[in-house]
Amino acid sequence: MKTLQSAARLLTGTLVALASSAALAVGTPAGTNISNTASASYTLPGGTTTQTKSSTVSLTVLELINVNVTSQNGANVSTSAGATDQVLTFVVTNTGNAVEDFVLTLTQSSSEEFDMTNAKIFEDTDGSGTYTSGDTEIASGTGSIGLDANSTTEAAATIFIVGVTPTTRDDSTALVSGDLSQLTLEAISETVDNLGTTPTPGQRITGVGSGGAPDAVVGTSYMDDANGVFEIGTGSGTATINITKSIVAVVDPFGGSTYVPGSTVTYQIDVSVANGDVDNLVISDEIPGNMDYVAGSITLDGGTLTDDSDTDVGVFDSTSGTSGTVTIDLSASTYSAGTSFVVQLQAEIK
Amino acid sequence: MQIIKSLLLTTLLLPVLAMADVSLINTAYKVVLVEQANGAVTEEWQDLGRVVPGDTIGYRISYKNSGTETASDVAINNPIPKNTDYLANSAKGLNSQITYSADMGQTFARAAELFVIKDGKQQLARPTDITNIRWSLAAIAAGAEGSVEFKVRVQ
């Protein structure tokens, strides 16, 4: 810690001039001596002026322990089932007036739908601002980071919580859009942590001050925490839709199965839902430019659908696209994983 | 030449000390607000226990004239210690006129008339601009004593 501080002192000297507007988060550094001497001048009978001085009264500023943790995630961080290296970003700032170590702890709230798996704390040691393989893991609950409140560069650290999004909720049901996982990063002064008891702000801990101060004083914020939330997103939600389109039959004008003008091609679209629920499912297929849709040819799971926009879910819109578009609108219901649909339609080669 | 000067000073000073002799004692206190049993909050000047940034320090400068004659045109001067900010309106002193300096004691003026130049503009000095305080007393009679005080906040 000594080394860090001397280095930091040097840095402070050069950096303060450059970044005078970027005020340090701290007050007078621990160990600073504040001395004060009063003087008086007065006139004696006869007109001579003389001077006197008081003795110097001095005091040493002790170490003040304070820390601030802020979440850098403006909103919930969108994630999806099974996604790896999902990152929440925090900044831990030493708002005291000396070098202090802070123990970091990660906790997961049990009141949300899912917990992240393999969640770990990393310090942005390479200073990139984003989680990279070069960052250092800090063991939750035991690992600590050293921060120098009196340095413009060493006072704060960017901390990542990195985890893997599970494939299901905690209760093993499927994840759906909007499901949440809340994680908390806590930082506590190691000096206070080592005390073993809960201190009261203002409490003086003797013999442990840093920066030349004999003692440390527990500030009002000797520990602090901040939350970050992962949310199963709508765009990158857990559910996936698998679509395959295939040609299941070709009938040419001569009773054969060649692709020639006049041949009727039967397309099959297989749609299946996986990994969660889906809402607003709409299947559409644009008829290729060199083909004509065969009127009344839409089927869903074997049942015929009319081309008109009416009570059934199938529509052929001749004005959409070059040769019209077939749409199967299944948005009225929510479909869960495992649901599948088979759509067929026919088109004739021009 | 040197010897003559020293002698001259000695002869001048000796009777002088017997006539009026003002001494100063400067004491620092920690200023804390204490809630009393009746709910009222009062300020207490306590012994300096621990000091951390944000704390308020009160300095009391006691003066005494232990000479046999009156000291006149007394000016007690105290710079604002480094790493502290003067707290507005905290300088006090009976029978004294208090003036402030924002230029390390070169010039003094009343708080309402103390200006600084900031960004090329003349502005009324803020408490944090103040570098020195001066208490001017017309006289301290032989044997008289008193005190002046001010408060600062540790940066």
Side-chain angles (χ1 to χ4, degrees):
Chain A
M1 296 321 289
K2 271 265 163 63
T3 323
L4 170 60
Q5 181 150 38
S6 347
R9 282 249 172 86
L10 286 172
L11 273 174
T12 315
T14 50
L15 283 173
V16 161
L18 292 171
S20 55
S21 59
L24 296 180
V26 287
T28 305
T32 302
N33 198 50
I34 295 179
S35 59
N36 184 25
T37 311
S39 62
S41 64
Y42 54 100
T43 307
L44 301 165
T48 317
T49 297
T50 188
Q51 298 226 349
T52 185
K53 269 189 171 187
S54 73
S55 58
T56 299
V57 53
S58 62
L59 54 96
T60 302
V61 176
L62 298 182
E63 178 186 357
L64 178 64
I65 296 174
N66 271 325
V67 65
N68 183 41
V69 181
T70 54
S71 166
Q72 304 299 298
N73 312 293
N76 293 351
V77 173
S78 186
T79 186
S80 57
T84 57
D85 285 352
Q86 300 298 287
V87 179
L88 293 174
T89 308
F90 299 85
V91 168
V92 178
T93 308
N94 180 349
T95 49
N97 65 343
V99 175
E100 180 68 22
D101 286 0
F102 298 97
V103 178
L104 303 182
T105 306
L106 153 70
T107 49
Q108 302 215 38
S109 162
S110 56
S111 53
E112 278 75 33
E113 288 83 4
F114 67 99
D115 279 357
M116 297 298 282
T117 52
N118 205 24
K120 289 177 178 172
I121 304 171
F122 286 88
E123 182 180 6
D124 184 23
T125 32
D126 64 4
S128 63
T130 53
Y131 170 64
T132 62
S133 57
D135 294 335
T136 311
E137 185 184 346
I138 310 284
S140 177
T142 54
S144 63
I145 52 169
L147 299 173
D148 183 359
N150 303 318
S151 160
T152 46
T153 52
E154 306 278 350
T158 299
I159 302 294
F160 305 114
I161 288 180
V162 182
V164 177
T165 307
T167 49
T168 65
R169 288 178 171 181
D170 293 344
D171 62 8
S172 298
T173 59
L175 286 166
V176 298
S177 171
D179 279 0
L180 304 175
S181 176
Q182 179 176 295
L183 297 94
T184 303
L185 179 70
E186 178 198 273
I188 181 170
S189 148
E190 197 163 52
T191 303
V192 172
D193 200 38
N194 289 342
L195 204 59
T197 54
T198 305
T200 45
Q203 183 174 329
R204 182 171 181 163
I205 310 175
T206 52
V208 294
S210 55
D215 305 331
V217 174
V218 178
T220 50
S221 178
Y222 62 88
M223 63 185 289
D224 194 23
D225 58 42
N227 297 328
V229 176
F230 286 115
E231 178 173 352
I232 302 298
T234 45
S236 57
T238 108
T240 49
I241 302 284
N242 298 317
I243 298 185
T244 49
K245 185 175 176 181
S246 53
I247 292 169
V248 291
V250 185
V251 179
D252 67 31
F254 319 104
S257 59
T258 57
Y259 295 101
V260 294
S263 294
T264 300
V265 179
T266 304
Y267 290 101
Q268 177 166 316
I269 306 166
D270 288 285
V271 178
S272 63
V273 180
N275 292 326
D277 295 351
V278 292
D279 292 319
N280 299 317
L281 176 62
V282 176
I283 304 161
S284 63
D285 187 27
E286 191 177 320
I287 306 298
N290 48 9
M291 299 187 88
D292 286 324
Y293 170 69
V294 177
S297 67
I298 310 170
T299 65
L300 174 64
D301 295 336
T304 305
L305 302 177
T306 64
D307 294 345
D308 298 332
S309 177
D310 50 20
T311 52
D312 71 41
V313 295
V315 172
F316 173 71
D317 180 0
S318 62
T319 63
S320 168
T322 353
S323 299
T325 300
V326 169
T327 302
I328 314 292
D329 185 345
L330 300 168
S331 62
S333 302
T334 297
Y335 298 100
S336 55
T339 312
S340 61
F341 304 95
V342 177
V343 176
Q344 287 195 350
L345 58 97
Q346 293 177 342
E348 186 183 304
I349 300 173
K350 284 182 184 171
Chain B
M1 222 27 213
Q2 195 66 43
I3 298 161
I4 299 170
K5 218 180 204 175
S6 315
L7 279 172
L8 209 71
L9 269 173
T10 318
T11 46
L12 271 173
L13 279 170
L14 277 173
V16 153
L17 287 171
M19 291 199 299
D21 180 12
V22 174
S23 59
L24 300 176
I25 300 170
N26 197 342
T27 316
Y29 299 87
K30 184 167 172 180
V31 181
V32 287
L33 297 175
V34 178
E35 190 174 346
Q36 305 297 321
N38 65 2
V41 175
T42 55
E43 184 181 287
E44 289 186 6
W45 286 43
Q46 301 177 344
D47 284 349
L48 267 188
R50 47 170 191 73
V51 175
V52 292
D55 280 348
T56 301
I57 305 296
Y59 288 102
R60 184 168 290 145
I61 301 140
S62 303
Y63 57 82
K64 181 173 185 181
N65 181 357
S66 10
T68 53
E69 301 276 358
T70 296
S72 54
D73 297 331
V74 181
I76 299 173
N77 216 314
N78 201 317
I80 303 299
K82 268 186 192 166
N83 294 303
T84 70
D85 287 327
Y86 172 66
L87 282 183
N89 305 317
S90 69
K92 293 179 180 129
L94 272 183
N95 304 317
S96 66
Q97 190 200 350
I98 303 173
T99 51
Y100 303 88
S101 170
D103 56 9
M104 307 306 287
Q106 291 178 52
T107 57
F108 283 85
R110 296 194 307 131
E113 293 161 354
L114 185 68
F115 292 95
V116 290
I117 307 289
K118 249 179 230 162
D119 302 328
K121 287 180 200 159
Q122 198 181 44
Q123 297 178 352
L124 199 61
R126 292 175 307 172
T128 50
D129 295 327
I130 290 174
T131 59
N132 299 65
I133 309 174
R134 173 188 285 172
W135 293 262
S136 301
L137 292 82
I140 304 174
E145 58 187 318
S147 67
V148 298
E149 64 186 44
F150 69 102
K151 288 185 280 187
V152 296
R153 176 166 291 134
V154 180
Q155 289 168 359

